[in-house]
Amino acid sequence: SNQVMKGMGKAASAYQQSAGQVLSIDTETFRPSVAEREEHGGDVITPIVLRLVRKSVVDGEAVALLSRRNSLSWSINYQEIRPARDLLGRYRELIRSYLSDNDRKLVSISTTHGFKGRERTHVVVLDAIDRAYPLIHPDWVFSRVFGDDESKLLDEERRLFYVALSRAK
């Protein structure tokens, strides 16, 4: 996260000095198992998220799923999951449906904006992709009325990505 903000001020100090682990999974090269393909159809993101979540909850560790928007950029096979009030809530319920009752409470989901100031032991940034960070609206030029320019908007987006990256303990 400090590399994202390099040159933007004093670097943040780590919560702990022990090294954490950062995993980056490319959805283009990820190959679900045969069982995962049968269970989730063309849904690629859910098998990835389930593997990461299970890795966390098996040790009793809380995990937060973060998204830039209130929706996901992928086609999700929700199966029998009833619609929730919001799309992220529906996805959280899908992920929880594969976990034991005790493990379900360890999984939360939020937008990155909504998770500012909070942290979890493990964090999965669901949409760490170019289409989400930075997310510059095509009509950004109208923001000039408020004194914004493209570099200011990019700096704001960089700070939001920093928030996503720095929420894990």
Side-chain angles (χ1 to χ4, degrees):
S1 58
N2 279 335
Q3 290 177 352
V4 168
M5 297 303 288
K6 191 171 186 166
M8 302 284 290
K10 184 181 174 198
S13 58
Y15 178 78
Q16 296 179 356
Q17 293 306 313
S18 60
Q21 185 179 25
V22 176
L23 302 173
S24 176
I25 297 146
D26 183 354
T27 57
E28 298 294 321
T29 59
F30 175 77
R31 299 291 173 248
S33 69
V34 172
E36 288 169 329
R37 279 194 304 275
E38 288 175 6
E39 178 72 23
H40 303 289
D43 179 352
V44 175
I45 191 72
T46 300
I48 294 170
V49 171
L50 281 171
R51 286 187 193 186
L52 294 171
V53 165
R54 286 177 175 143
K55 185 175 172 53
S56 299
V57 300
V58 75
D59 295 327
E61 302 285 351
V63 60
L65 309 176
L66 299 182
S67 176
R68 172 66 170 86
R69 299 182 202 112
N70 282 314
S71 61
L72 297 174
S73 302
W74 293 275
S75 174
I76 307 296
N77 181 0
Y78 286 102
Q79 302 161 1
E80 301 298 319
I81 300 299
R82 61 180 168 71
R85 290 175 45 181
D86 62 272
L87 292 174
L88 289 183
R90 188 175 181 196
Y91 191 68
R92 179 194 60 230
E93 293 312 309
L94 174 65
I95 297 300
R96 285 179 172 178
S97 73
Y98 288 94
L99 303 173
S100 71
D101 289 341
N102 289 337
D103 291 341
R104 288 179 182 175
K105 64 181 182 254
L106 296 173
V107 178
S108 62
I109 196 165
S110 177
T111 62
T112 303
H113 278 104
F115 209 69
K116 286 181 179 178
R118 300 181 346 191
E119 58 187 13
R120 292 289 183 275
T121 306
H122 299 165
V123 173
V124 177
V125 182
L126 297 170
D127 54 358
I129 56 176
D130 288 336
R131 297 183 310 266
Y133 297 96
L135 179 63
I136 305 294
H137 194 278
D139 295 334
W140 74 267
V141 293
F142 297 114
S143 298
R144 289 180 179 171
V145 171
F146 303 110
D148 292 342
D149 61 19
E150 189 173 15
S151 67
K152 184 176 178 183
L153 294 173
L154 287 172
D155 286 347
E156 286 296 321
E157 290 296 311
R158 182 185 299 183
R159 281 189 278 279
L160 185 62
F161 191 49
Y162 171 83
V163 167
L165 295 177
S166 61
R167 298 301 87 196
K169 288 183 182 177

